[in-house]
Amino acid sequence: MATNPKVLSSNGKVILITGASSGLGAGMAREFAAVGYNLALCARRLERLEQLKAELEQQYGITVAIQSLDVNNYDQVFSVFREFAAQFGRLDRIIVNAGVGEGRRIGKGHFEINRKTAETNFIAALAQCEAAVEIFRKQNYGHLVTMSSMSAMRGLPKHLSTYAASKAALAHLTEGIRAELIDTPIKVSTIFPGYIRTELNEGAKKLPFEVSEKVGSKALVKAIEKQPIKAYVPDWPWKPLGFLMRNLPLRLVNKLS
């Protein structure tokens, strides 16, 4: 389902966010809307996107276009991104946010869950990056943002093994894209969120240094607006913890996870 844009808001800029129906995707949409960005939002749950669209257009007077998208349908990823670009005439920033937090211990008979995690967090993200950079190359400008994780700092045990590996792969992919585009007007950012309490992990026990979805979304938007090469969010304590996770003996990293 597509919606025709109205007159764009005063800043005229457009951000596409995948996985925008809940969690950090919806949280970032609200924060970007508050500063005047127009939005292209996509996710599997269209009814949630319709509610979010109505809320943001009424509250902030921006234009919000929505489409249903399953990022594991790769042909659909390309068609949805291209349709949004055609609707607005431009896409200034694309945030590859859609992902899953599932995972199981390796060798315990849960290959399908781990396969789906790896496919959604990396292969589907690759499709989104391909579609985004195709658009940015045609425009000769844009800002690609990928949402990795602090879990990407090291290989992690238990249910985090596949998740951490998928987010590390995404971080390396993003750096490769940055290397490819380093002398162009296209900016590329990798974001490493720490523990942010969202619908995705609402059933988990209290996590170290966790922040709420609202606090986390504000911190993410503040970081993304700076167009960094990489950002740890929130910066404290995750930037120093990232150094420790990369350099401590694995046995100690296990305890941090």
Side-chain angles (χ1 to χ4, degrees), residues 16-21 40-45 49 67-81 84 94-101 115-131 167 170:
L16 189 162
I17 306 174
T18 65
S21 61
L41 305 179
C42 47
R44 289 178 298 172
R45 294 174 290 187
L49 291 178
Q67 290 213 42
S68 176
L69 173 63
D70 178 350
V71 293
N72 287 308
N73 182 334
Y74 308 134
D75 289 340
Q76 189 184 29
V77 169
F78 283 87
S79 64
V80 165
F81 279 36
F84 275 141
I94 296 174
I95 302 178
V96 177
N97 170 72
V100 295
R115 180 198 61 78
K116 182 178 179 182
T117 296
E119 181 174 336
T120 303
N121 289 351
F122 181 63
I123 305 300
L126 170 61
Q128 293 166 73
C129 288
E130 287 269 10
K167 290 298 188 177
L170 176 57

Side-chain angles (χ1 to χ4, degrees), residues 11 61 85 89 98 113 117 126 146 179 216 220 244 250 256-257:
N11 83 18
I113 293 175
T117 296
L126 170 61
T146 65
L220 286 168
L244 293 176
L250 191 57
L256 286 175
S257 64

Side-chain angles (χ1 to χ4, degrees), residues 2-53:
T3 55
N4 293 322
K6 304 170 188 175
V7 177
L8 298 185
S9 68
S10 58
N11 83 18
K13 293 184 178 180
V14 183
I15 299 178
L16 189 162
I17 306 174
T18 65
S21 61
S22 64
L24 295 179
M28 287 189 290
R30 290 186 173 96
E31 297 300 325
F32 281 121
V35 293
Y37 282 96
N38 303 287
L39 299 170
L41 305 179
C42 47
R44 289 178 298 172
R45 294 174 290 187
L46 189 60
E47 69 284 354
R48 286 203 177 191
L49 291 178
E50 289 170 342
Q51 293 168 5
L52 184 60
K53 169 185 168 66

Side-chain angles (χ1 to χ4, degrees), residues 51-69:
Q51 293 168 5
L52 184 60
K53 169 185 168 66
E55 171 196 333
L56 298 181
E57 288 191 333
Q58 180 177 6
Q59 188 167 357
Y60 299 111
I62 61 166
T63 298
V64 181
I66 59 173
Q67 290 213 42
S68 176
L69 173 63

